[in-house]
């Protein structure tokens, strides 16, 4: 029986190895053409993001089948965004290395620009959290998912900043991608769950210049690897190779995979912020917060200030669509989202700290965070994919798929995320049930909060 199990495992390894070689061979053969892919995706983005911004808003009768603006919105927010996050599970950060025009434009600019070394403040790990929080809240306030002008402002604006950063810093490297892109840290932390990694070949120690400043001679983490294939040169000693692995494997081995406290804190915060972005639109708590703020400003005699609206580039202001935000809305949304972020991050911190203290191996709280913090990745990721994929799911019902099928599919995804997190907790707790309890409770908390939004 044991011999048979070993044989099956060896067969699986061999199959994975040959599949990895085929994938690697394909990308190596075409890596000189990646720039063409970047140009094509850039042109697509220009059409999908640029054109609708100069079209009138669609009327209520319009559908994505007869209105380009709604069609573009569906492709960007209903297909591209959810699939981008889902793709991390199967392909890691392939989007970043092969498709993303923003990162490529930033790198191109950095080859032509001042080539300054990024200053120390910019290389702080928390900068990425600030960037993510700022862009996410700003996106909510300007209605990035609902209004083409806001989509252009956020996606086009970040691209311009990426190019500017590239022009000033880097000298051919991607300072924007490594330290500033709001998407980068989320894709990075989730890529640790993915099936693809770029691993050092046994015994190698050669360093290749990496666009995202990864030390390829010592690399053990997937987080900052954008899968550009530049360090993959099988004919050379010291090359990195593409490897396929079991989902979640890197997190299971996180102790020797360069765990990073800021990544964990980012995961906790991003989970809370994403929940806040969905909840403010449906929660009675948000309405109460807004009224309470209104009362405070009325007492201060400032209601006329916060009761006015601002320009479209700063907040939703579309009277023709019946939606106009006031400064009061902007403040309430910001406070609500930041509170949600802090509350969820604190709750997950408490559960993680408890697991560290309970664990019999005598971990410090910091070591506990580094070991157990990544456990919540799957439940957060798959719930986010369902949340972002609502437009896609709604469209499939319009195409004739029954509501019941869609809900079952969503539920299956949702359950998979929760169970995967619990499984990771089991693996990392090394079967210690007591350690698993707080980690599972943290998972249940995240799942319960997402359940309230999704179902
Ligand atoms: S880090 Fe951001 S800008 Fe860079 S390639 Fe990835 S998504 Fe694009
Ligand atoms: S580690 Fe290699 S594949 Fe990954 S980003 Fe750096 S050079 Fe590219």
């Amino acid at each position: 029986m044991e011999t048979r199990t070993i044989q099956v495992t060896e067969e699986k390894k061999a199959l994975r190895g040959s599949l990895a070689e085929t994938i690697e061979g394909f990308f190596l053969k075409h890596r000189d053409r990646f720039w063409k892919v970047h140009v094509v995706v850039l042109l697509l983005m220009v059409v999908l993001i640029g054109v609708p911004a100069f079209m009138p808003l669609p009327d209520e009768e319009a559908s994505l089948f007869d209105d380009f603006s709604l069609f573009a919105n569906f492709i960007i927010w209903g297909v591209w965004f959810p699939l981008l996050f889902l793709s991390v599970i199967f392909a890691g950060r392939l989007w970043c290395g092969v498709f993303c025009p923003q990162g490529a434009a930033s790198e191109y600019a950095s080859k032509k620009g001042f080539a300054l070394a990024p200053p120390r403040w910019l290389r702080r790990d928390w900068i990425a959290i600030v960037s993510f929080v700022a862009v996410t809240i700003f996106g909510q306030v300007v209605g990035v998912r609902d209004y083409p002008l806001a989509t252009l402002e956020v996606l086009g604006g970040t691209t311009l900043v990426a190019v500017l950063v590239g022009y000033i810093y880097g000298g051919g490297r991607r300072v924007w991608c490594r330290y500033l892109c709001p998407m980068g840290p989320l894709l990075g932390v989730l890529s640790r769950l993915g099936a693809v990694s770029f691993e050092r070949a046994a015994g190698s120690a050669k360093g290749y210049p990496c666009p995202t400043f990864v030390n390829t001679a010592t690399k053990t983490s997937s987080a900052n690897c954008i899968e550009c294939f530049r360090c993959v040169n099988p004919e050379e000693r010291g090359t990195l190779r593409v490897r396929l692995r079991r989902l979640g494997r890197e997190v299971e081995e996180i102790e020797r995979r360069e765990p990073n406290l800021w990544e964990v804190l980012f995961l906790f915060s991003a989970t809370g912020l994403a929940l806040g972005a969905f909840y403010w639109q449906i929660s009675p708590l948000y309405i109460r917060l807004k009224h309470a703020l209104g009362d405070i400003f009325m007492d201060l005699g400032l209601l006329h200030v916060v009761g006015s609206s601002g320009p479209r580039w700063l907040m939703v202001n579309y009277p023709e669509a019946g939606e106009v935000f006031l400064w009061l809305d902007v403040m309430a949304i910001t406070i609500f989202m930041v509170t949600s972020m802090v509350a969820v991050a604190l709750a997950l911190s408490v559960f993680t700290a408890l697991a560290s203290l309970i664990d019999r191996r005598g971990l410090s709280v910091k070591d506990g965070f580094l070991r157990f913090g990544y456990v919540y990745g799957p439940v957060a990721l798959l719930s986010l994919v369902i949340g972002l994929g609502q437009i896609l799911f709604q469209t499939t019902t319009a195409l004739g798929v029954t509501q019941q099928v869609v809900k079952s599919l969503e539920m299956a995804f949702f359950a998979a995320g929760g169970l995967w997190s619990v499984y990771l907790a089991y693996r990392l707790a090394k079967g210690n049930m007591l350690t698993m309890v707080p980690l599972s409770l943290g998972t249940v908390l995240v799942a319960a909060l997402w359940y309230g939004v999704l179902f």
Side-chain angles (χ1 to χ4, degrees), residues 97 174 198-199 208-217 219 221-222 224-232 240 242:
R174 296 191 182 198
F198 286 53
E199 303 276 341
Y208 286 94
C210 166
T212 48
F213 305 89
V214 172
N215 183 344
T216 58
K219 173 185 182 302
S221 156
S222 300
N224 294 311
C225 173
I226 57 166
E227 302 189 4
C228 68
F229 285 85
R230 282 172 227 182
C231 59
V232 182
L240 267 71
V242 175

Side-chain angles (χ1 to χ4, degrees), residues 148-172:
L149 205 58
T151 308
L152 175 65
E153 184 183 4
V154 174
L155 299 183
T158 48
T159 303
L160 284 182
V161 179
V163 170
L164 187 66
V165 168
Y167 196 78
I168 300 173
Y169 301 114

Side-chain angles (χ1 to χ4, degrees), residues 38 80 84 93-104 106 158-159 162 174 176-185 187 212 226:
H38 293 138
W80 171 58
L84 168 58
R93 293 181 69 175
L94 194 68
W95 162 262
C96 288
V98 180
F99 298 99
C100 178
Q102 191 178 88
S106 185
T158 48
T159 303
R174 296 191 182 198
W176 168 261
C177 296
R178 173 63 195 260
Y179 299 111
L180 285 166
C181 173
M183 297 277 285
L187 297 176
T212 48
I226 57 166

Side-chain angles (χ1 to χ4, degrees), residues 10 169 187 219 273 275 302 316 348 350 360 396 404:
E10 289 305 318
Y169 301 114
L187 297 176
K219 173 185 182 302
L273 195 71
L275 278 162
L302 293 171
V316 170
L348 293 181
V350 169
R360 284 194 299 248
T396 55
Q404 204 181 3

Side-chain angles (χ1 to χ4, degrees), residues 68 137 165 239 294 375:
F68 182 72
I137 293 178
V165 168
T239 179
V375 154

